[in-house]
Amino acid sequence: MAPVREEALVNDIRRGSVTANGLEFGYLAAGPEDGPLALCLHGFPDSAHTWRHLLPELAAAGYRAVAPFMRGYAPTAVPADGAYQSGALAADANALHEAFGGGPDAVLVGHDWGAFAVYGAAAHAPGRWRKAVTLAVPPIAAMMGAFFDYEQLRRSFYIFLFQTPLAELAVNRAFVERLWADWSPGYDAAEDVDHVMACLSMPENLAAAIGYYRTMLDPSRLVARYAAEQAAGERTGERPVLYLHGADDGCLGVAAADPDAVLAQLPAGSRAEIVEGAGHFLQLERPDAVNARVLDWLKD
């Protein structure tokens, strides 16, 4: 277990830092330090604050709920090896499990890129995790057919933009605000965008966040050290997963998250549900509905 440094923040949420997988991670946490670990992983363009509604609920259920800022998102360090593949994210999750002294009763929750990390971490080291929850990104095999639909390609323009040198010039506050507005229609994202821009205020942090997408489409960027975790993310795995997707998701349309197709790619005992009245950031748009589903899933 690595040394952990924490300080009080607000609403019984603490802020801390810990070293795992050779990186200094900043994180938010709530709940008893001797409770089972609940590791909550965010995506793009987002931050650990995306879990501000779920962390206290997990804490009330007895979990040590921890939401790290993902690699490259300040205050977490930018990795020297430039590794941003999903296998590296999975390795981070398993290393954080070790750093926080997690046991086999630990659980994983991941949204967007965090979902990729969850699939890989749970499949690569199932002995570390009891159950998992993923939001907004189903297993790749479940969504590939719908991803190449014209409407979905239009939604995914940013992925292709991020392959170009123009990306760092394009991603400013106005760009991030429009993504949130398109992806979660009607949701007031001002607070969340503030957190995002704080995480990506330095050029190296912005380049890191974009690097996730550049690695997605450029195999030459894959770091061999994470090959096992990378391969694990494409397997079905063993630990049951609750998958949640917003009916009004403007990032990955609901057609790419058909529950039957999703369940066919998840371990036995998994569950897949569409959350009505929610878009891409469903954990923020409908926190009560999402929290209830997550806590109900984890109590078994």
Side-chain angles (χ1 to χ4, degrees):
M1 182 173 176
V4 173
R5 298 161 292 283
E6 292 188 353
E7 61 177 292
L9 197 57
V10 293
N11 299 330
D12 297 322
I13 293 178
R14 308 181 299 276
R15 176 170 51 203
S17 62
V18 66
T19 299
N21 198 21
L23 286 177
E24 185 82 2
F25 282 86
Y27 67 87
L28 305 178
E33 294 188 5
D34 60 352
L37 177 66
L39 192 65
C40 303
L41 308 174
H42 72 82
F44 172 89
D46 208 353
S47 74
H49 294 276
T50 200
W51 302 114
R52 61 184 177 271
H53 302 300
L54 180 60
L55 293 179
E57 295 298 320
L58 288 169
Y63 286 95
R64 182 185 192 180
V66 177
F69 293 83
M70 302 290 274
R71 59 170 46 213
Y73 284 74
T76 293
V78 173
D81 62 3
Y84 297 111
Q85 67 217 65
S86 58
L89 307 183
D92 289 346
N94 286 330
L96 286 163
H97 178 282
E98 186 76 21
F100 285 106
D105 55 354
V107 297
L108 269 171
V109 181
H111 174 259
D112 192 83
W113 275 103
F116 282 116
V118 167
Y119 296 131
H124 185 256
R128 293 185 181 275
W129 310 103
R130 180 176 64 87
K131 272 190 171 183
V133 180
T134 56
L135 302 89
V137 175
I140 289 179
M143 64 175 171
M144 285 309 292
F147 186 83
F148 291 102
D149 172 79
Y150 175 81
E151 286 301 316
Q152 184 55 52
L153 286 171
R154 184 175 61 82
R155 294 186 189 99
S156 301
F157 80 95
Y158 65 99
I159 296 177
F160 304 104
L161 170 65
F162 289 176
Q163 309 309 309
T164 77
L166 300 176
E168 281 84 351
L169 297 175
V171 183
N172 53 26
R173 184 183 182 94
F175 184 94
V176 172
E177 287 175 340
R178 284 301 302 271
L179 284 185
W180 276 77
D182 289 344
W183 293 1
S184 287
Y187 173 70
D188 181 359
E191 178 181 352
D192 301 282
V193 173
D194 285 344
H195 291 310
V196 172
M197 300 316 295
C199 289
L200 305 182
S201 63
M202 300 301 291
E204 57 269 29
N205 298 113
L206 178 57
I210 293 170
Y212 286 47
Y213 293 94
R214 287 176 172 153
T215 303
M216 175 191 285
L217 297 185
D218 184 356
S220 72
R221 293 176 178 266
L222 296 177
V223 176
R225 173 185 173 190
Y226 301 111
E229 289 90 346
Q230 192 74 19
E234 299 178 6
R235 298 200 302 266
T236 300
E238 303 173 27
R239 294 293 176 252
V241 176
L242 168 65
Y243 180 72
L244 301 175
H245 198 99
D248 304 319
D249 193 323
C251 173
L252 186 65
V254 70
D258 175 74
D260 290 337
V262 171
L263 285 175
Q265 303 299 327
L266 291 177
S270 294
R271 185 188 307 166
E273 298 182 16
I274 303 300
V275 179
E276 297 296 331
H280 188 65
F281 298 95
L282 59 166
Q283 71 275 22
L284 291 163
E285 298 168 77
R286 295 204 58 202
D288 292 344
V290 170
N291 292 351
R293 286 170 167 85
V294 171
L295 292 171
D296 179 68
W297 172 251
L298 296 180
K299 75 181 181 182
D300 295 334

